[in-house]
């Protein structure tokens, strides 16, 4: 049976001498793996459409069982060329793709996540702030994983009393009266938890220019990474590479 999916390539792995196993995140079925036979050959009609980050329509042949579908042909909608040509944008896109891959199951349709991924890659391709885009995505993926930090009131007593700290173990803000209950709570400026609260409900279609101070950026990253490290068992190769890339401008400025 032939099926047609709209998808974005989030992983592409060589298979044998000439083929690739391509993982798509599709609008219709969520994450699916397909076999692109001969895609490693330079003249293959499947070569371009099987490249990482490519957005396209994929016509696949499925069998009667639950085996991997074969890619018959593909039509590129957007190759996100500018994203690919910028190493920093590529590093962020690779991290976004791997995080999405690790936190989703095969065959679970999620049009919201497909749209989110497409918007992120489009904004990266347009040269928007990759670090803030990444922080928004991490916030959304915590929600997908069932971890939504409580950022409207104290996670312990429910009162609204500032200044807040953020407790990873207790799942959100702690007011001054409750802060002593977590010796590892993270001290942040009000702009940090307010931005995190905004990111939870933010629609990327409304993204404009967001000016964020370096100290706020650093605290946002620390808080989100702390939540992921505490509650999710992930070891992402792309994260290590991204962290190395983020340190490079600092090293070069000495």
């Amino acid at each position: 049976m032939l099926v047609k999916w709209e998808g974005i390539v989030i992983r592409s792995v060589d298979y044998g001498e000439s083929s690739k196993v391509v993982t798509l995140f599709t609008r219709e079925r969520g994450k699916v793996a397909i076999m692109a036979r001969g895609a490693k050959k330079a003249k293959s009609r499947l070569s371009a459409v099987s490249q990482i980050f490519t957005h396209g329509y994929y016509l696949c042949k499925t069998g009667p069982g639950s085996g991997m579908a074969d890619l018959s042909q593909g039509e590129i909608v957007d190759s996100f060329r500018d994203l690919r040509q910028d190493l920093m944008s590529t590093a962020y896109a690779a991290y976004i793709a791997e995080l999405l891959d690790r936190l989703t199951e095969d065959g679970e349709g999620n049009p919201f996540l497909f749209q989110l991924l497409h918007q992120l890659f489009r904004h990266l391709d347009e040269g928007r702030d990759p670090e803030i885009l990444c922080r928004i995505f991490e916030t959304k993926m915590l929600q997908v994983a069932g971890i939504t930090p409580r950022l409207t009131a104290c996670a312990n007593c429910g009162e609204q009393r500032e200044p807040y700290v953020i407790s990873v173990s207790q799942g959100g803000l702690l007011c001054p009266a409750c802060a002593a209950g977590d010796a590892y709570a993270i001290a942040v400026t009000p702009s940090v938890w307010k931005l995190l609260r905004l990111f939870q409900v933010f629609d990327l279609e409304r993204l404009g220019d967001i000016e964020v101070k370096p100290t706020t950026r650093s605290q946002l990253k620390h808080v989100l990474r702390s939540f992921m490290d505490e509650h999710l068992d992930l070891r992402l190769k792309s994260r290590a590479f991204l962290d190395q890339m983020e340190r490079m401008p600092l090293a070069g400025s000495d």
Side-chain angles (χ1 to χ4, degrees):
M1 180 177 70
L2 287 175
V3 294
K4 188 176 184 179
W5 295 318
E6 180 185 3
I8 297 173
V9 179
I10 60 172
R11 180 155 45 103
S12 184
V13 179
D14 291 347
Y15 183 85
E17 294 184 0
S18 62
S19 301
K20 292 182 179 181
V21 174
V22 176
T23 302
L24 302 174
F25 199 87
T26 69
R27 186 184 296 275
E28 299 83 1
R29 287 195 56 197
K31 188 172 66 176
V32 294
I34 59 176
M35 178 66 72
R37 301 188 186 279
K40 286 173 62 178
K41 297 178 180 178
K43 296 183 179 181
S44 170
R45 56 189 173 85
L46 303 180
S47 178
V49 78
S50 62
Q51 295 294 314
I52 190 73
F53 311 141
T54 300
H55 172 211
Y57 289 98
Y58 296 81
L59 186 66
C60 301
K61 183 178 181 181
T62 62
S66 58
M68 192 180 303
D70 278 328
L71 178 61
S72 297
Q73 64 185 65
E75 175 189 351
I76 294 177
V77 176
D78 199 334
S79 63
F80 300 113
R81 180 179 177 182
D82 290 340
L83 183 163
R84 296 168 182 278
Q85 292 182 344
D86 181 83
L87 186 57
M88 182 61 78
S89 295
T90 299
Y92 276 103
Y95 172 68
I96 288 167
E98 187 177 10
L99 186 59
L100 178 68
D101 189 9
R102 293 288 298 276
L103 291 179
T104 54
E105 299 294 333
D106 293 345
E108 293 185 356
N110 192 323
F112 164 77
L113 278 183
F114 174 85
Q115 191 65 22
L116 177 64
L117 180 66
H118 179 257
Q119 290 169 339
L120 283 163
F121 282 4
R122 177 164 52 83
H123 287 317
L124 285 172
D125 194 58
E126 292 170 351
R128 297 294 186 91
D129 191 326
E131 185 178 358
I132 295 303
L133 289 171
C134 185
R135 300 290 89 84
I136 294 172
F137 181 69
E138 288 172 334
T139 304
K140 303 289 191 187
M141 292 310 293
L142 282 176
Q143 294 174 297
V144 168
I147 305 161
T148 303
R150 185 174 180 184
L151 301 170
T152 57
C154 179
N156 185 51
C157 70
E159 295 293 323
Q160 294 183 328
R161 289 194 300 266
E162 298 185 37
Y164 291 114
V165 295
I166 295 182
S167 171
V168 175
S169 62
Q170 297 193 43
L173 302 177
L174 291 181
C175 69
C178 297
D182 183 1
Y184 299 100
I186 304 170
V188 296
T189 60
S191 58
V192 170
W193 61 264
K194 289 178 181 179
L195 274 174
L196 289 172
R197 186 171 64 185
L198 174 64
F199 292 168
Q200 289 180 343
V201 299
F202 189 72
D203 182 356
L204 275 176
E205 284 293 344
R206 298 170 49 227
L207 181 69
D209 294 328
I210 302 177
E211 295 293 334
V212 182
K213 296 178 180 178
T215 53
T216 303
R217 290 172 180 266
S218 178
Q219 290 181 1
L220 284 169
K221 178 179 178 179
H222 179 51
V223 169
L224 287 166
R225 293 288 179 85
S226 296
F227 269 96
M228 287 191 289
D229 291 345
E230 176 73 17
H231 299 288
L232 303 173
D233 184 20
L234 297 176
R235 297 291 184 271
L236 305 180
K237 293 181 180 179
S238 58
R239 172 171 153 175
F241 177 69
L242 177 59
D243 288 346
Q244 182 181 7
M245 288 292 299
E246 287 180 332
R247 288 192 295 266
M248 284 180 65
L250 294 177
S253 64
D254 291 340

